[in-house]
Amino acid sequence: MRRWVVFLLYGLSLTASVAQTTDTIIDPKIATVLLYPQVGSTVAGGSPAQALNIPLVKLDDQAQSPLQLEFDDLTANYRSFRSKIVHCNAGWVRSVLNDIEYTYEYNDVPITDYQVSIGTKIPYYHYKYMVPRLKLPGNYVLVVYNERNRNEILFTRRFRVYANLVSVEAAIRFSTDVSRQFNDQQVDLAIGYRAYQSQVTSPQDDFKVVIRQNYRDDRTVTDLHPTNVRSFDQVLEYRAIDLRNTFPGGNEYRFFDTRTVLSRGNYVERVDRKAEKTTAYVQTDRPRSGIAYTQFDDFNGLYVIDHRETGDGATGADYIETVFTLLVDELPNVDVYANGAFNFWALNSRNRLTYDPSIGGYQGRIWLKQGVYNYNYSVTGLAPPLTRSGIRLDGNETLIEGDFSQTENVYEVFVYNRLPAARADQLIGYYTINFGQRK
């Protein structure tokens, strides 16, 4: 009995120390944190394209498509890590549920699967961990911490488990605001709850709907209310006349390829190979906001780790000092960033660029593992901050990249509900739609 009390207190102490529920790397020696479901067949060592699967899995498919966590420890020394799963409500605030209410196993698991990098100039340990099955659909945060000090959290990573208990339909079109029809995209949707009606007491109030663009939690619309309740059909329609369901179209993401450093990959100007490190210079960029939209394929901001020579990106890919250069006149009182999923879309010192008058533009260096990366440029410090249809955009990407309503973007719809007398939100509906997808 005493042992179980100690275990319970141990878990509560860790949960209490989780200060945030965002995608965040706290330890600077942790890099390339990937979390994705294993979908379909894989080749030996895993398929690089698997990482393009976002951290979301259907409740009934967890056994067939489990979530796989991968990350690197750049200390190049073995460290003992443990993981814990925290349940959150629709707004990513920790719920009051106890571990036993949403987990099948003890919620504090060691991460024991690791490999050492092979033939890389920057040595590292590569860790893998399979996320255990969960009982409830909803929002979760995977917390990884130092086994020797449970208060030393290394990183946190969001993921979702969903159940399709309601039906969702969505359509994307150019904005109905005449002034923004060439720049914005509008999401109209409908939710059918006929199969779920026994759990619904007030249809217009019971559902929380979230729309997300390009898998980015910094590009979401929340607090949506139905504009029409068709009680006989058990259908809720969301066609907001205040344009809250409108997103800036953005632009196709820029990309570069560093899967090999023996030659220049796509959009890499040159590669400097030295004994202690390799430096890759991404093709010099310029603003695109003042030029016509150009169509090309991208990963919608995501990236893939791979190593062309060995085919093993997990342990064969090296860390490259990647140099970004943006030629633009100096912007007073403004910070410029090279932004992408590789930094969880965060704007911080890691991806900030500095103005260099000798080149007439901004430049920055970021250590990135070999692969194919999507990115764009974002700025902060503009007054007033850019807002659009209820979205407060922490970084202004319009200034450098432009907004075009023709841009290919993927949208997701999440539907949450809290059952009568329940203590937490559940994710009961999920739908994805790709606007402008190339055939």
Side-chain angles (χ1 to χ4, degrees):
M1 180 64 181
R2 289 181 59 189
R3 185 177 67 176
W4 282 107
V5 170
V6 171
F7 281 171
L8 181 60
L9 292 176
Y10 184 89
L12 288 174
S13 176
L14 174 64
T15 303
S17 65
V18 180
Q20 53 194 351
T21 58
T22 58
D23 289 319
T24 305
I25 297 177
I26 301 172
D27 187 328
K29 289 297 184 179
I30 298 297
T32 318
V33 178
L34 301 173
L35 181 62
Y36 56 91
Q38 294 277 5
V39 178
S41 60
T42 61
V43 299
S47 169
Q50 287 278 353
L52 293 178
N53 299 320
I54 62 171
L56 177 141
V57 64
K58 193 173 182 180
L59 184 68
D60 297 335
D61 294 343
Q62 294 180 88
Q64 294 77 22
S65 304
L67 285 171
Q68 171 81 53
L69 172 70
E70 298 188 39
F71 64 95
D72 296 331
D73 183 3
L74 300 182
T75 63
N77 295 309
Y78 173 76
R79 290 196 285 174
S80 300
F81 300 130
R82 299 185 74 89
S83 69
K84 183 178 178 66
I85 297 173
V86 176
H87 183 273
C88 295
N89 286 316
W92 292 103
V93 176
R94 286 201 310 270
S95 73
V96 297
L97 296 184
N98 296 318
D99 292 354
I100 196 173
E101 296 180 77
Y102 59 88
T103 61
Y104 288 102
E105 305 168 6
Y106 181 60
N107 189 16
D108 195 336
V109 183
I111 299 175
T112 58
D113 185 358
Y114 68 92
Q115 296 173 287
V116 181
S117 60
I118 302 172
T120 60
K121 296 178 182 178
I122 307 299
Y124 57 87
Y125 273 63
H126 181 75
Y127 291 81
K128 290 185 178 181
Y129 171 70
M130 200 72 72
V131 178
R133 292 189 308 122
L134 297 168
K135 297 178 181 178
L136 300 177
N139 292 349
Y140 294 92
V141 175
L142 183 64
V143 181
V144 174
Y145 66 98
N146 190 336
E147 185 175 53
R148 298 184 178 181
N149 180 5
R150 63 180 179 273
N151 292 319
E152 183 185 343
I153 297 175
L154 304 174
F155 65 87
T156 54
R157 191 74 167 91
R158 288 179 174 182
F159 68 95
R160 295 170 173 87
V161 178
Y162 73 96
N164 277 332
L165 304 180
V166 296
S167 63
V168 182
E169 295 181 357
I172 316 298
R173 57 176 171 168
F174 296 170
S175 175
T176 53
D177 182 349
V178 176
S179 66
R180 300 298 304 173
Q181 63 179 333
F182 298 111
N183 307 100
D184 290 1
Q185 297 170 352
Q186 184 169 315
V187 183
D188 295 328
L189 62 101
I191 298 173
Y193 59 93
R194 181 180 298 276
Y196 194 72
Q197 59 181 317
S198 61
Q199 307 294 342
V200 177
T201 57
S202 177
Q204 65 270 27
D205 300 317
D206 284 357
F207 299 104
K208 299 177 182 178
V209 178
V210 176
I211 306 175
R212 184 170 72 164
Q213 182 191 60
N214 290 335
Y215 318 117
R216 298 175 55 174
D217 285 339
D218 65 332
R219 291 293 184 271
T220 60
V221 167
T222 60
D223 195 29
L224 290 172
H225 300 283
T227 55
N228 185 27
V229 179
R230 292 159 46 191
S231 301
F232 181 79
D233 299 320
Q234 283 86 51
V235 172
L236 304 174
E237 294 180 347
Y238 294 78
R239 293 179 173 85
I241 59 175
D242 61 357
L243 302 177
R244 287 190 59 85
N245 54 344
T246 301
F247 291 78
N251 206 335
E252 307 295 350
Y253 289 93
R254 307 171 193 255
F255 76 95
F256 63 89
D257 184 350
T258 56
R259 288 176 292 176
T260 181
V261 294
L262 301 182
S263 61
R264 293 187 298 112
N266 288 335
Y267 295 96
V268 175
E269 284 187 354
R270 78 174 195 268
V271 178
D272 291 346
R273 296 184 294 273
K274 298 180 181 179
E276 71 281 3
K277 69 176 182 179
T278 299
T279 303
Y281 291 80
V282 177
Q283 176 178 285
T284 300
D285 291 313
R286 291 173 173 81
R288 299 187 292 172
S289 56
I291 62 177
Y293 166 76
T294 301
Q295 173 184 311
F296 57 86
D297 293 331
D298 61 13
F299 293 153
N300 289 316
L302 304 179
Y303 65 98
V304 171
I305 300 300
D306 195 12
H307 186 237
R308 177 160 291 175
E309 283 70 38
T310 65
D312 181 12
T315 58
D318 208 346
Y319 277 84
I320 307 297
E321 184 184 40
T322 309
V323 181
F324 296 84
T325 304
L326 175 65
L327 296 185
V328 64
D329 292 338
E330 185 174 12
L331 303 170
N333 305 315
V334 165
D335 289 321
V336 179
Y337 302 84
N339 199 18
F342 61 83
N343 202 43
F344 295 145
W345 301 104
L347 306 177
N348 52 37
S349 59
R350 183 182 181 229
N351 60 339
R352 183 184 297 118
L353 311 183
T354 57
Y355 186 76
D356 185 348
S358 66
I359 64 172
Y362 290 83
Q363 194 169 79
R365 298 169 182 264
I366 307 173
W367 286 92
L368 296 174
K369 200 173 185 180
Q370 285 181 266
V372 181
Y373 288 81
N374 277 188
Y375 71 101
N376 63 19
Y377 291 101
S378 182
V379 303
T380 60
L382 295 177
L386 180 65
T387 59
R388 186 74 53 78
S389 305
I391 311 174
R392 189 184 188 282
L393 306 175
D394 293 331
N396 182 329
E397 297 169 10
T398 302
L399 183 66
I400 303 297
E401 306 295 349
D403 285 321
F404 302 93
S405 54
Q406 309 100 306
T407 303
E408 182 270 327
N409 289 310
V410 62
Y411 291 91
E412 300 165 283
V413 179
F414 303 92
V415 181
Y416 298 87
N417 173 254
R418 183 173 298 193
L419 296 172
R423 301 188 299 143
D425 300 329
Q426 295 188 18
L427 179 52
I428 62 167
Y430 174 73
Y431 185 82
T432 180
I433 182 171
N434 197 312
F435 176 78
Q437 186 173 16
R438 321 304 180 211
K439 301 298 184 181

